[in-house]
Amino acid sequence: MLKLHRYFLLTVAALVPLLVSLYAYVGQLKPFAHWKWIDICGEGGTALLAAVWLGIICYNRPRGLVTRCFAFGFAALMLGNTADCLDEFFAIPKSHLWDNILESGLNLGGMLSLTAGMYFWQEEQRSLNRHMEKRERVFRDHRGIDRVAQIANADYLRQQISWQSQHGAASLVMLNICGFHKINRHYGQAQGDHILQSLAQWIVFHIDAQDVLCRYAADHYVLLLPGLNAQAASEYAQTLCDLIQQTAFPLSQNAVAPASPSRERVHLQMRFAVSETLHSDTLTRLSRELQQAAA
């Protein structure tokens, strides 16, 4: 992500020595005995921390309105506190007001920019919460995300089952891709992983807001369907499987040789098993049922 912000970061970095040069040129270096170390540590430390926060924002976020607000805010705070700190080293003539205006303006502008960033970040978070609703529901833990499918993993699923068992009836549907090993063998594991992720995103898009999708293992997905009995869940799963089987999932162009014009797509055949019981051994039982159906 840093590459996306390199020009902005280079500009901010270049302003620091320019600021030091300005104070050194206009002001007069104070005697060492007049340096106030408490102010130097406080203002210099704040400038340093603002620089660290700026780096964290630019390292972790792509370009956008929220990123710009946070980046400008932290950059302004860093420069404002750097100017405050330079006041402890250089005596500026009383007739010069620009240093006070510079310090106050940068700090105020930084706080205003950060406030705007917090407002727009809140709006962004609401949108992300709606997007993540089918993946996390009542829990949020980045450690529960499956690396391949980019949805919740088996540990997270067990948390959801435990919570749901205490808060109302629900059904579990385990979905399995028929003959998925043939896709891996024919196209390679990279393409297989891409298909798993594409299928996960497809299911997330098509299920209801209160439903939760998780990856159980390999090519097994599990849907937690609150409020549905086994029969309703079976009908729901059958409709979903029929739709999946009518969909052609494209192979990843990143995993194909650059010279290849291939736009090949894969059709998936699905099977499923349903349980209305939410016990610790339910997932194992559903997996065994699917294995027996495949045999």
Side-chain angles (χ1 to χ4, degrees), residues 207-282:
I207 59 179
D208 295 335
Q210 71 271 21
D211 303 335
V212 181
L213 175 69
C214 302
R215 185 186 181 206
Y216 177 59
D219 57 338
H220 289 66
Y221 297 90
V222 174
L223 273 170
L224 178 61
L225 306 175
L228 292 188
N229 58 29
Q231 181 179 351
S234 293
E235 294 171 0
Y236 187 100
Q238 186 62 61
T239 301
L240 203 60
C241 288
D242 290 343
L243 288 172
I244 291 172
Q245 288 164 188
Q246 295 169 23
T247 303
F249 293 89
L251 297 176
S252 170
Q253 292 303 300
N254 294 331
V256 178
S260 172
S262 173
R263 294 290 180 102
E264 192 172 353
R265 293 172 177 265
V266 175
H267 287 271
L268 303 177
Q269 299 295 315
M270 305 295 295
R271 64 172 68 93
F272 66 89
V274 178
S275 175
E276 202 173 339
T277 343
L278 303 181
H279 288 161
S280 55
D281 62 340
T282 302

Side-chain angles (χ1 to χ4, degrees), residues 146-149 177 179-200 215 218-221 249-252 255-256 266 268:
D146 181 78
R147 181 185 59 81
V148 173
I177 305 172
F180 180 71
H181 63 282
K182 296 177 182 177
I183 295 176
N184 269 340
R185 189 166 60 236
H186 185 71
Y187 297 106
Q189 186 175 346
Q191 291 288 11
D193 289 348
H194 174 74
I195 293 297
L196 290 175
Q197 187 177 111
S198 297
L199 177 59
R215 185 186 181 206
D219 57 338
H220 289 66
Y221 297 90
F249 293 89
L251 297 176
S252 170
V256 178
V266 175
L268 303 177

Side-chain angles (χ1 to χ4, degrees), residues 44-58:
T46 303
L48 182 61
L49 286 175
V52 171
W53 296 334
L54 173 61
I56 292 172
I57 286 293
C58 292

Side-chain angles (χ1 to χ4, degrees), residues 5 20 41 52-53 72 77-78 91 107 134 140 144 153 157 171 177 189 191 196 207 242:
H5 310 285
V20 175
C41 291
V52 171
W53 296 334
F72 278 111
L77 282 181
M78 184 196 77
N107 285 320
K134 300 173 188 177
R140 172 168 292 176
N153 60 20
L157 173 62
S171 290
I177 305 172
Q189 186 175 346
Q191 291 288 11
L196 290 175
I207 59 179
D242 290 343

Side-chain angles (χ1 to χ4, degrees), residues 132 135 145-152 197 200-201 204 215:
M132 293 296 291
R135 305 170 189 233
I145 300 297
D146 181 78
R147 181 185 59 81
V148 173
Q150 292 300 299
I151 55 174
Q197 187 177 111
Q201 306 310 315
V204 166
R215 185 186 181 206

